[in-house]
Amino acid sequence: MVDDTVVAGPGNVVAEVWYSRQSSGNDERVAVLNYGLHSRGEIGLEAGRERQEGVDDDLVGLTSKWTLAEYAAEGIGVAVAGGVFADPDTDRFQEAEVFFPVAVPLGGNDRAMFRYNLGWSHQRDADDRDVLTWGFGAEAELVPRVSAIVEIYGDQRDSTEIQTGVRLDLADLAALDVGYGRERRDRGTSWWTVGLAAEF
């Protein structure tokens, strides 16, 4: 959930899919395709379906991310990312977001990384509200091809969420994530997530 500053290579496509299932039985499916336009920029298409109490809610969106500073060259990574999302069943705009991912290598290499996101989201729900969003994340290699991931994220109005898991590098450009999360205030609300990402 806490985004990094990396973009798809020029002319490459990054495909991501993930599935989350809550303890209540609700679930979410998301698929993303990002295309590398430039060594520092990508555009993407995202589609998701969330099932709450047996009712499906769909969203489709157009996203983009541009790297402002590369951590490999400058010691810190900074990017700007955003997207607009609509409900395909009603053809109504539902949400817009802009945020700034920051990545800081720990220990002078890529084996451990700290990430921070700060942003803004306009959500067209019952409140038609604007919210500030935030997230902290860390990733550290445990053994070759296996890393631990910890994230905490939320906004100024909703409950804070915590997620932890492992990442398995299946190949140079493919990874599998498995994670467990819960709401900080409501420990009865938890979920499992499985995700796969590949660049080609």
Side-chain angles (χ1 to χ4, degrees):
M1 293 300 297
V2 181
D3 202 1
D4 58 26
T5 60
V6 178
V7 297
N12 289 2
V13 173
V14 175
E16 301 178 47
V17 293
W18 67 87
Y19 172 79
S20 291
R21 184 168 182 85
Q22 295 182 356
S23 54
S24 62
N26 297 325
D27 62 14
E28 182 179 21
R29 300 166 178 85
V30 178
V32 182
L33 288 176
N34 291 317
Y35 176 74
L37 289 173
H38 183 273
S39 61
R40 290 187 174 231
E42 68 181 18
I43 59 171
L45 295 173
E46 182 173 329
R49 168 169 288 179
E50 185 175 14
R51 176 167 292 180
Q52 296 282 344
E53 310 301 331
V55 178
D56 290 335
D57 185 22
D58 297 332
L59 278 182
V60 295
L62 178 65
T63 63
S64 182
K65 180 165 60 174
W66 292 87
T67 301
L68 305 177
E70 296 179 337
Y71 61 78
E74 302 173 53
I76 184 172
V78 180
V80 57
V84 291
F85 302 88
D87 183 340
D89 297 323
T90 63
D91 293 327
R92 289 187 73 223
F93 160 78
Q94 290 295 111
E95 184 176 349
E97 63 180 13
V98 176
F99 59 97
F100 293 88
V102 176
V104 182
L106 304 175
N109 56 46
D110 292 348
R111 297 183 62 187
M113 188 77 64
F114 170 78
R115 296 187 178 95
Y116 174 64
N117 290 181
L118 178 65
W120 163 88
S121 174
H122 177 77
Q123 300 168 4
R124 190 179 223 179
D125 53 15
D127 298 332
D128 199 26
R129 59 183 178 164
D130 294 291
V131 297
L132 293 177
T133 62
W134 57 271
F136 295 94
E139 179 181 340
E141 187 178 72
L142 301 175
V143 296
R145 293 192 175 274
V146 179
S147 301
I149 302 169
V150 177
E151 299 178 325
I152 180 169
Y153 52 89
D155 61 51
Q156 90 272 20
R157 295 188 62 180
D158 293 334
S159 177
T160 300
E161 299 179 347
I162 301 168
Q163 186 163 261
T164 185
V166 294
R167 172 168 295 152
L168 175 62
D169 291 325
L170 303 176
D172 289 341
L173 297 175
L176 174 70
D177 289 5
V178 178
Y180 170 78
R182 65 175 177 82
E183 291 192 9
R184 185 175 65 86
R185 294 179 183 173
D186 181 4
R187 300 197 175 192
T189 300
S190 61
W191 60 90
W192 287 96
T193 300
V194 177
L196 180 66
E199 182 170 354
F200 51 91

